[in-house]
Amino acid sequence: MPQRGHPAPEGLWSLPGLLMAHEPQPDGLLDLSFLTEEEQEAIAEVLKRDARLRQLEEGRVSKLRASLADPGQLKILTGDWFQEARSQRHQHAQFGSDLVRASIRRKKGCRGDQAGGSDGEAEAAGKETEEALEPRLSVDEGPQERLSEAEGPDVSSPCVPTKPSEQEEEPQAQEDEPGAPDLGRPPVVAGEEADPEMQPPSRGEEEPQPPPAQLSGSQMSLSGEPEAGAVQVRGSVHFALRYEPGAAELRVHVIQCQGLAAARRRRSDPYVKSYLLPDKQSKRKTTVKKRNLNPVFNEILRYSVPQTELRGRVLSLSVWHRESLGRNIFLGEVEVPLNTWDWDSEPTWLPLQPRVPPSPDDLPSRGLLSLSLKYVPAGSEGPGLPPSGELHFWVKEVQDLIPLRSGSPDTFVQCSVLPDDSRASRQRTRVVRRSLNPMFNHTMVYDGFGPADLRQACAELSLWDHGALGSRQLGGTRLSLGTGDSYGLQVPWMDSTHEERRLWQSLLERPCEWVDGLLPLRTNLAPRT
């Protein structure tokens, strides 16, 4: 029995407008048997307040529908845009409040706890609650604030649900005043990035459609895939580079952009994003400059990186239009190889370029692999020696290694001769600890190869970062004729570059001789399957 002076949870059902459109099935109800009477009453109070707020919101929306004739403005003020986005994303979902309410009702009915007079007390309590409620929500409040108060805990965010590792954090949006800001002011240093706020479409603006559950366009900036709503790239970016030896920092001064393409109705909300390739986790961003095709950023993006590692790095600067509810739109990019950069140069203007699918020969590497190869045909060392053709790999060292993260990694080299990818056929060197120029000096031998087999085979040597919980591939090289097929089958791993093909061809032409090579550890090895 509920205690005296506290409204019974059953009073909740006497309130008008609380009948659920879709009653949860008994199998989907919650087991609330562990709750005390006081806890059930506290939950019932929350549900009553939620129901009252829904009623107030329905009344406010009814008045708006009777007083406004503009459908676009009405859709924003009533929150219909939010309801449509939620219904499309959660077509068969039930409100959490409905589920809890039905569970409490079923539990009380099963226990037979329907004391006489409790309904009357609940009705009285309901009337007192209704009289104590605050006046209706003001129509002048922002649409997002009204919806948050009216919907309470039942409202689902219209943002696309993603995994934490995939979630795209957006820079903070800023309104630009008319006229270009003074470039003489101190540059802003990019700090913590804020998550995008959920915003309804502004008045008079094209209404974006709710996107499907997928990665944002900004996350695909390194994949080479086209974005939805792509625009023709034009304009240029003004920036400067400086390295501070004392702080061991690369400082990218993003000054401004000019003549950007319009992403939405002759306007864009641009920001600049940078990567220090080949590290795809080195993302930095400026703030967003709203409604501006000639934005002035004057911000510094910082990278803590040893100066010796810059030789193998490429700075990628891309410009994006920030879309509140959809995928961000690509506006152009530039790539700056740091091994040829003039560090004494003045701030530079570069034209923005469209994204071009990268060539395997043009991608940066994580270092250079020094090795020698030798093919020993069967019987070349005397009668019956060796009994079958032997393929020798002498892995010497890796030069100028670029690690995934700061510090010197523990590395080893693994070798496979495809198409045999079995675990038993793999060979590896020892692990060299904490070195950016690891010396392996290790020889691996594979037998059973004839000259014809070498034309169908591909030797893959990959460098790995050894960890306590697992190893991660840093890069690799593939030695083959690069024909794209093996024994009559099309295979993706016959993708050798010109330099790799030339070394493999030298191996075929010079049996019983060591052939030396210094090959880039590519980061774009195609998957084997």
Side-chain angles (χ1 to χ4, degrees), residues 315-351:
L315 177 67
S316 171
L317 294 175
S318 56
V319 185
W320 295 81
H321 161 77
R322 185 199 174 197
E323 191 70 33
S324 299
L325 296 179
R327 293 168 57 184
N328 297 335
I329 297 177
F330 175 76
L331 300 180
E333 68 177 355
V334 296
E335 289 191 350
V336 182
L338 299 184
N339 60 339
T340 58
W341 181 256
D342 181 9
W343 295 99
D344 297 325
S345 62
E346 297 295 322
T348 304
W349 283 97
L350 287 181

mmCIF file of all heavy atoms in Angstrom, residues 315-351:
data_model
loop_
_atom_site.group_PDB
_atom_site.id
_atom_site.type_symbol
_atom_site.label_atom_id
_atom_site.label_comp_id
_atom_site.label_asym_id
_atom_site.label_seq_id
_atom_site.Cartn_x
_atom_site.Cartn_y
_atom_site.Cartn_z
ATOM 1 N N LEU A 315 52.305 17.151 -45.638
ATOM 2 C CA LEU A 315 51.242 17.917 -44.990
ATOM 3 C C LEU A 315 50.058 18.031 -45.933
ATOM 4 O O LEU A 315 50.191 18.504 -47.064
ATOM 5 C CB LEU A 315 51.744 19.308 -44.613
ATOM 6 C CG LEU A 315 50.699 20.238 -43.994
ATOM 7 C CD1 LEU A 315 50.260 19.729 -42.634
ATOM 8 C CD2 LEU A 315 51.222 21.660 -43.897
ATOM 9 N N SER A 316 48.902 17.579 -45.466
ATOM 10 C CA SER A 316 47.663 17.667 -46.242
ATOM 11 C C SER A 316 46.768 18.729 -45.614
ATOM 12 O O SER A 316 46.418 18.642 -44.431
ATOM 13 C CB SER A 316 46.946 16.311 -46.249
ATOM 14 O OG SER A 316 45.651 16.435 -46.816
ATOM 15 N N LEU A 317 46.407 19.744 -46.399
ATOM 16 C CA LEU A 317 45.467 20.787 -45.988
ATOM 17 C C LEU A 317 44.241 20.689 -46.876
ATOM 18 O O LEU A 317 44.345 20.832 -48.099
ATOM 19 C CB LEU A 317 46.095 22.177 -46.118
ATOM 20 C CG LEU A 317 47.264 22.513 -45.193
ATOM 21 C CD1 LEU A 317 47.836 23.881 -45.535
ATOM 22 C CD2 LEU A 317 46.825 22.486 -43.742
ATOM 23 N N SER A 318 43.095 20.434 -46.279
ATOM 24 C CA SER A 318 41.845 20.340 -47.037
ATOM 25 C C SER A 318 40.824 21.305 -46.464
ATOM 26 O O SER A 318 40.791 21.547 -45.254
ATOM 27 C CB SER A 318 41.294 18.905 -47.021
ATOM 28 O OG SER A 318 41.122 18.446 -45.690
ATOM 29 N N VAL A 319 39.995 21.849 -47.336
ATOM 30 C CA VAL A 319 38.957 22.810 -46.946
ATOM 31 C C VAL A 319 37.607 22.126 -47.086
ATOM 32 O O VAL A 319 37.334 21.466 -48.097
ATOM 33 C CB VAL A 319 39.023 24.080 -47.812
ATOM 34 C CG1 VAL A 319 38.024 25.119 -47.310
ATOM 35 C CG2 VAL A 319 40.435 24.657 -47.798
ATOM 36 N N TRP A 320 36.764 22.304 -46.063
ATOM 37 C CA TRP A 320 35.463 21.632 -46.009
ATOM 38 C C TRP A 320 34.369 22.627 -45.642
ATOM 39 O O TRP A 320 34.602 23.575 -44.884
ATOM 40 C CB TRP A 320 35.475 20.500 -44.969
ATOM 41 C CG TRP A 320 36.403 19.387 -45.316
ATOM 42 C CD1 TRP A 320 37.755 19.344 -45.131
ATOM 43 C CD2 TRP A 320 36.049 18.144 -45.915
ATOM 44 N NE1 TRP A 320 38.265 18.151 -45.582
ATOM 45 C CE2 TRP A 320 37.241 17.397 -46.065
ATOM 46 C CE3 TRP A 320 34.847 17.586 -46.335
ATOM 47 C CZ2 TRP A 320 37.260 16.129 -46.619
ATOM 48 C CZ3 TRP A 320 34.851 16.327 -46.889
ATOM 49 C CH2 TRP A 320 36.050 15.611 -47.035
ATOM 50 N N HIS A 321 33.195 22.378 -46.177
ATOM 51 C CA HIS A 321 31.979 23.078 -45.740
ATOM 52 C C HIS A 321 31.319 22.240 -44.663
ATOM 53 O O HIS A 321 31.056 21.060 -44.853
ATOM 54 C CB HIS A 321 31.012 23.283 -46.906
ATOM 55 C CG HIS A 321 29.606 23.572 -46.491
ATOM 56 N ND1 HIS A 321 29.191 24.805 -46.032
ATOM 57 C CD2 HIS A 321 28.504 22.766 -46.450
ATOM 58 C CE1 HIS A 321 27.901 24.746 -45.741
ATOM 59 N NE2 HIS A 321 27.460 23.523 -45.978
ATOM 60 N N ARG A 322 31.063 22.836 -43.511
ATOM 61 C CA ARG A 322 30.442 22.106 -42.417
ATOM 62 C C ARG A 322 28.933 22.057 -42.602
ATOM 63 O O ARG A 322 28.257 23.081 -42.692
ATOM 64 C CB ARG A 322 30.770 22.752 -41.077
ATOM 65 C CG ARG A 322 30.223 21.929 -39.914
ATOM 66 C CD ARG A 322 30.121 22.754 -38.671
ATOM 67 N NE ARG A 322 29.458 21.991 -37.620
ATOM 68 C CZ ARG A 322 28.946 22.530 -36.534
ATOM 69 N NH1 ARG A 322 28.989 23.830 -36.372
ATOM 70 N NH2 ARG A 322 28.376 21.791 -35.623
ATOM 71 N N GLU A 323 28.401 20.841 -42.653
ATOM 72 C CA GLU A 323 26.965 20.605 -42.782
ATOM 73 C C GLU A 323 26.438 20.195 -41.419
ATOM 74 O O GLU A 323 26.958 19.273 -40.802
ATOM 75 C CB GLU A 323 26.702 19.516 -43.819
ATOM 76 C CG GLU A 323 25.245 19.385 -44.214
ATOM 77 C CD GLU A 323 24.774 20.577 -45.031
ATOM 78 O OE1 GLU A 323 25.553 21.155 -45.797
ATOM 79 O OE2 GLU A 323 23.590 20.934 -44.882
ATOM 80 N N SER A 324 25.389 20.879 -40.945
ATOM 81 C CA SER A 324 24.916 20.642 -39.580
ATOM 82 C C SER A 324 24.378 19.234 -39.395
ATOM 83 O O SER A 324 24.687 18.570 -38.406
ATOM 84 C CB SER A 324 23.823 21.654 -39.221
ATOM 85 O OG SER A 324 24.338 22.965 -39.279
ATOM 86 N N LEU A 325 23.560 18.754 -40.336
ATOM 87 C CA LEU A 325 22.913 17.461 -40.160
ATOM 88 C C LEU A 325 23.399 16.407 -41.141
ATOM 89 O O LEU A 325 23.128 15.234 -40.946
ATOM 90 C CB LEU A 325 21.394 17.614 -40.305
ATOM 91 C CG LEU A 325 20.710 18.479 -39.244
ATOM 92 C CD1 LEU A 325 19.225 18.570 -39.526
ATOM 93 C CD2 LEU A 325 20.953 17.929 -37.855
ATOM 94 N N GLY A 326 24.052 16.803 -42.194
ATOM 95 C CA GLY A 326 24.494 15.835 -43.196
ATOM 96 C C GLY A 326 26.005 15.691 -43.213
ATOM 97 O O GLY A 326 26.704 16.073 -42.279
ATOM 98 N N ARG A 327 26.492 15.122 -44.303
ATOM 99 C CA ARG A 327 27.920 14.936 -44.468
ATOM 100 C C ARG A 327 28.563 16.233 -44.922
ATOM 101 O O ARG A 327 28.026 16.953 -45.749
ATOM 102 C CB ARG A 327 28.177 13.825 -45.485
ATOM 103 C CG ARG A 327 27.750 12.451 -45.018
ATOM 104 C CD ARG A 327 27.749 11.444 -46.153
ATOM 105 N NE ARG A 327 29.054 11.357 -46.785
ATOM 106 C CZ ARG A 327 29.304 10.606 -47.850
ATOM 107 N NH1 ARG A 327 28.342 9.900 -48.394
ATOM 108 N NH2 ARG A 327 30.509 10.565 -48.367
ATOM 109 N N ASN A 328 29.743 16.526 -44.358
ATOM 110 C CA ASN A 328 30.459 17.727 -44.756
ATOM 111 C C ASN A 328 30.869 17.636 -46.227
ATOM 112 O O ASN A 328 31.061 16.549 -46.770
ATOM 113 C CB ASN A 328 31.688 17.917 -43.877
ATOM 114 C CG ASN A 328 31.306 18.123 -42.426
ATOM 115 O OD1 ASN A 328 30.210 18.569 -42.132
ATOM 116 N ND2 ASN A 328 32.199 17.794 -41.520
ATOM 117 N N ILE A 329 31.008 18.782 -46.867
ATOM 118 C CA ILE A 329 31.245 18.844 -48.309
ATOM 119 C C ILE A 329 32.678 19.291 -48.565
ATOM 120 O O ILE A 329 33.138 20.302 -48.025
ATOM 121 C CB ILE A 329 30.239 19.789 -48.984
ATOM 122 C CG1 ILE A 329 28.816 19.243 -48.797
ATOM 123 C CG2 ILE A 329 30.551 19.956 -50.459
ATOM 124 C CD1 ILE A 329 27.736 20.141 -49.362
ATOM 125 N N PHE A 330 33.363 18.538 -49.394
ATOM 126 C CA PHE A 330 34.758 18.800 -49.736
ATOM 127 C C PHE A 330 34.847 19.990 -50.679
ATOM 128 O O PHE A 330 34.174 20.052 -51.709
ATOM 129 C CB PHE A 330 35.344 17.547 -50.387
ATOM 130 C CG PHE A 330 36.747 17.696 -50.898
ATOM 131 C CD1 PHE A 330 37.822 17.696 -50.028
ATOM 132 C CD2 PHE A 330 36.989 17.827 -52.254
ATOM 133 C CE1 PHE A 330 39.114 17.829 -50.498
ATOM 134 C CE2 PHE A 330 38.277 17.953 -52.734
ATOM 135 C CZ PHE A 330 39.341 17.959 -51.855
ATOM 136 N N LEU A 331 35.731 20.980 -50.342
ATOM 137 C CA LEU A 331 35.891 22.177 -51.153
ATOM 138 C C LEU A 331 37.249 22.269 -51.833
ATOM 139 O O LEU A 331 37.456 23.167 -52.652
ATOM 140 C CB LEU A 331 35.682 23.428 -50.282
ATOM 141 C CG LEU A 331 34.313 23.569 -49.612
ATOM 142 C CD1 LEU A 331 34.255 24.843 -48.789
ATOM 143 C CD2 LEU A 331 33.193 23.552 -50.645
ATOM 144 N N GLY A 332 38.178 21.365 -51.500
ATOM 145 C CA GLY A 332 39.490 21.387 -52.147
ATOM 146 C C GLY A 332 40.589 21.051 -51.165
ATOM 147 O O GLY A 332 40.396 21.086 -49.939
ATOM 148 N N GLU A 333 41.782 20.737 -51.691
ATOM 149 C CA GLU A 333 42.899 20.369 -50.830
ATOM 150 C C GLU A 333 44.216 20.688 -51.517
ATOM 151 O O GLU A 333 44.288 20.881 -52.745
ATOM 152 C CB GLU A 333 42.857 18.879 -50.474
ATOM 153 C CG GLU A 333 43.117 17.959 -51.657
ATOM 154 C CD GLU A 333 43.139 16.492 -51.269
ATOM 155 O OE1 GLU A 333 43.055 16.197 -50.066
ATOM 156 O OE2 GLU A 333 43.246 15.646 -52.171
ATOM 157 N N VAL A 334 45.276 20.754 -50.710
ATOM 158 C CA VAL A 334 46.647 20.836 -51.205
ATOM 159 C C VAL A 334 47.486 19.867 -50.384
ATOM 160 O O VAL A 334 47.194 19.615 -49.211
ATOM 161 C CB VAL A 334 47.227 22.265 -51.098
ATOM 162 C CG1 VAL A 334 46.463 23.233 -51.978
ATOM 163 C CG2 VAL A 334 47.235 22.750 -49.658
ATOM 164 N N GLU A 335 48.531 19.313 -51.002
ATOM 165 C CA GLU A 335 49.465 18.437 -50.317
ATOM 166 C C GLU A 335 50.867 18.996 -50.478
ATOM 167 O O GLU A 335 51.288 19.341 -51.593
ATOM 168 C CB GLU A 335 49.382 17.010 -50.854
ATOM 169 C CG GLU A 335 48.100 16.293 -50.455
ATOM 170 C CD GLU A 335 48.158 14.814 -50.754
ATOM 171 O OE1 GLU A 335 49.112 14.383 -51.441
ATOM 172 O OE2 GLU A 335 47.244 14.084 -50.304
ATOM 173 N N VAL A 336 51.584 19.092 -49.349
ATOM 174 C CA VAL A 336 52.893 19.727 -49.320
ATOM 175 C C VAL A 336 53.925 18.708 -48.850
ATOM 176 O O VAL A 336 53.957 18.376 -47.654
ATOM 177 C CB VAL A 336 52.891 20.955 -48.386
ATOM 178 C CG1 VAL A 336 54.252 21.641 -48.414
ATOM 179 C CG2 VAL A 336 51.780 21.924 -48.774
ATOM 180 N N PRO A 337 54.780 18.176 -49.731
ATOM 181 C CA PRO A 337 55.861 17.284 -49.285
ATOM 182 C C PRO A 337 56.879 18.086 -48.469
ATOM 183 O O PRO A 337 57.459 19.068 -48.951
ATOM 184 C CB PRO A 337 56.463 16.765 -50.598
ATOM 185 C CG PRO A 337 55.434 17.055 -51.653
ATOM 186 C CD PRO A 337 54.723 18.282 -51.205
ATOM 187 N N LEU A 338 57.116 17.673 -47.245
ATOM 188 C CA LEU A 338 57.988 18.437 -46.360
ATOM 189 C C LEU A 338 59.463 18.187 -46.633
ATOM 190 O O LEU A 338 60.309 18.953 -46.151
ATOM 191 C CB LEU A 338 57.653 18.099 -44.899
ATOM 192 C CG LEU A 338 56.228 18.438 -44.461
ATOM 193 C CD1 LEU A 338 56.041 18.155 -42.984
ATOM 194 C CD2 LEU A 338 55.899 19.893 -44.761
ATOM 195 N N ASN A 339 59.794 17.129 -47.368
ATOM 196 C CA ASN A 339 61.208 16.883 -47.655
ATOM 197 C C ASN A 339 61.779 17.888 -48.645
ATOM 198 O O ASN A 339 62.992 18.067 -48.726
ATOM 199 C CB ASN A 339 61.414 15.459 -48.173
ATOM 200 C CG ASN A 339 60.640 15.207 -49.453
ATOM 201 O OD1 ASN A 339 59.682 15.916 -49.758
ATOM 202 N ND2 ASN A 339 61.041 14.199 -50.199
ATOM 203 N N THR A 340 60.931 18.572 -49.410
ATOM 204 C CA THR A 340 61.394 19.572 -50.372
ATOM 205 C C THR A 340 60.952 20.990 -50.002
ATOM 206 O O THR A 340 61.130 21.909 -50.793
ATOM 207 C CB THR A 340 60.856 19.237 -51.776
ATOM 208 O OG1 THR A 340 59.414 19.198 -51.742
ATOM 209 C CG2 THR A 340 61.377 17.880 -52.245
ATOM 210 N N TRP A 341 60.387 21.161 -48.825
ATOM 211 C CA TRP A 341 59.859 22.477 -48.456
ATOM 212 C C TRP A 341 60.992 23.432 -48.077
ATOM 213 O O TRP A 341 61.940 23.062 -47.384
ATOM 214 C CB TRP A 341 58.888 22.343 -47.283
ATOM 215 C CG TRP A 341 58.288 23.641 -46.853
ATOM 216 C CD1 TRP A 341 58.608 24.384 -45.764
ATOM 217 C CD2 TRP A 341 57.246 24.361 -47.512
ATOM 218 N NE1 TRP A 341 57.848 25.514 -45.693
ATOM 219 C CE2 TRP A 341 57.000 25.523 -46.768
ATOM 220 C CE3 TRP A 341 56.514 24.133 -48.672
ATOM 221 C CZ2 TRP A 341 56.042 26.454 -47.139
ATOM 222 C CZ3 TRP A 341 55.557 25.062 -49.037
ATOM 223 C CH2 TRP A 341 55.329 26.205 -48.280
ATOM 224 N N ASP A 342 60.880 24.689 -48.521
ATOM 225 C CA ASP A 342 61.831 25.742 -48.175
ATOM 226 C C ASP A 342 61.373 26.388 -46.868
ATOM 227 O O ASP A 342 60.406 27.158 -46.848
ATOM 228 C CB ASP A 342 61.899 26.778 -49.300
ATOM 229 C CG ASP A 342 62.899 27.891 -48.994
ATOM 230 O OD1 ASP A 342 63.652 27.758 -47.999
ATOM 231 O OD2 ASP A 342 62.930 28.878 -49.745
ATOM 232 N N TRP A 343 62.075 26.077 -45.790
ATOM 233 C CA TRP A 343 61.633 26.524 -44.464
ATOM 234 C C TRP A 343 61.886 28.015 -44.246
ATOM 235 O O TRP A 343 61.440 28.579 -43.246
ATOM 236 C CB TRP A 343 62.325 25.711 -43.377
ATOM 237 C CG TRP A 343 61.917 24.277 -43.431
ATOM 238 C CD1 TRP A 343 62.591 23.244 -43.999
ATOM 239 C CD2 TRP A 343 60.705 23.714 -42.919
ATOM 240 N NE1 TRP A 343 61.895 22.069 -43.887
ATOM 241 C CE2 TRP A 343 60.733 22.323 -43.215
ATOM 242 C CE3 TRP A 343 59.605 24.227 -42.241
ATOM 243 C CZ2 TRP A 343 59.697 21.470 -42.857
ATOM 244 C CZ3 TRP A 343 58.574 23.383 -41.882
ATOM 245 C CH2 TRP A 343 58.621 22.018 -42.181
ATOM 246 N N ASP A 344 62.609 28.661 -45.139
ATOM 247 C CA ASP A 344 62.838 30.100 -45.035
ATOM 248 C C ASP A 344 61.873 30.895 -45.901
ATOM 249 O O ASP A 344 62.012 32.120 -46.021
ATOM 250 C CB ASP A 344 64.281 30.428 -45.457
ATOM 251 C CG ASP A 344 65.309 29.775 -44.540
ATOM 252 O OD1 ASP A 344 65.027 29.665 -43.334
ATOM 253 O OD2 ASP A 344 66.386 29.366 -45.032
ATOM 254 N N SER A 345 60.913 30.236 -46.507
ATOM 255 C CA SER A 345 60.002 30.919 -47.429
ATOM 256 C C SER A 345 58.962 31.733 -46.669
ATOM 257 O O SER A 345 58.674 31.488 -45.490
ATOM 258 C CB SER A 345 59.301 29.902 -48.329
ATOM 259 O OG SER A 345 58.517 29.011 -47.544
ATOM 260 N N GLU A 346 58.394 32.711 -47.367
ATOM 261 C CA GLU A 346 57.323 33.537 -46.829
ATOM 262 C C GLU A 346 55.995 32.773 -46.917
ATOM 263 O O GLU A 346 55.924 31.714 -47.549
ATOM 264 C CB GLU A 346 57.240 34.843 -47.631
ATOM 265 C CG GLU A 346 58.479 35.717 -47.535
ATOM 266 C CD GLU A 346 58.699 36.226 -46.111
ATOM 267 O OE1 GLU A 346 57.694 36.537 -45.437
ATOM 268 O OE2 GLU A 346 59.867 36.313 -45.686
ATOM 269 N N PRO A 347 54.936 33.279 -46.271
ATOM 270 C CA PRO A 347 53.620 32.636 -46.412
ATOM 271 C C PRO A 347 53.248 32.439 -47.877
ATOM 272 O O PRO A 347 53.481 33.305 -48.730
ATOM 273 C CB PRO A 347 52.672 33.618 -45.711
ATOM 274 C CG PRO A 347 53.536 34.270 -44.676
ATOM 275 C CD PRO A 347 54.900 34.387 -45.292
ATOM 276 N N THR A 348 52.677 31.285 -48.167
ATOM 277 C CA THR A 348 52.496 30.834 -49.547
ATOM 278 C C THR A 348 51.019 30.692 -49.900
ATOM 279 O O THR A 348 50.218 30.239 -49.077
ATOM 280 C CB THR A 348 53.199 29.473 -49.741
ATOM 281 O OG1 THR A 348 54.571 29.606 -49.375
ATOM 282 C CG2 THR A 348 53.092 29.000 -51.176
ATOM 283 N N TRP A 349 50.674 31.096 -51.142
ATOM 284 C CA TRP A 349 49.350 30.829 -51.711
ATOM 285 C C TRP A 349 49.454 29.606 -52.607
ATOM 286 O O TRP A 349 50.327 29.526 -53.472
ATOM 287 C CB TRP A 349 48.880 32.009 -52.561
ATOM 288 C CG TRP A 349 48.373 33.181 -51.786
ATOM 289 C CD1 TRP A 349 49.063 34.309 -51.449
ATOM 290 C CD2 TRP A 349 47.063 33.359 -51.264
ATOM 291 N NE1 TRP A 349 48.273 35.170 -50.742
ATOM 292 C CE2 TRP A 349 47.031 34.613 -50.609
ATOM 293 C CE3 TRP A 349 45.904 32.574 -51.270
ATOM 294 C CZ2 TRP A 349 45.891 35.100 -49.987
ATOM 295 C CZ3 TRP A 349 44.773 33.056 -50.643
ATOM 296 C CH2 TRP A 349 44.768 34.303 -50.009
ATOM 297 N N LEU A 350 48.566 28.640 -52.409
ATOM 298 C CA LEU A 350 48.495 27.481 -53.282
ATOM 299 C C LEU A 350 47.055 27.281 -53.735
ATOM 300 O O LEU A 350 46.126 27.397 -52.919
ATOM 301 C CB LEU A 350 48.987 26.213 -52.568
ATOM 302 C CG LEU A 350 50.496 26.090 -52.331
ATOM 303 C CD1 LEU A 350 50.809 24.772 -51.629
ATOM 304 C CD2 LEU A 350 51.280 26.204 -53.622
ATOM 305 N N PRO A 351 46.839 26.973 -55.009
ATOM 306 C CA PRO A 351 45.459 26.719 -55.479
ATOM 307 C C PRO A 351 44.943 25.390 -54.953
ATOM 308 O O PRO A 351 45.679 24.402 -54.885
ATOM 309 C CB PRO A 351 45.612 26.698 -57.003
ATOM 310 C CG PRO A 351 47.042 26.300 -57.238
ATOM 311 C CD PRO A 351 47.830 26.881 -56.105
#
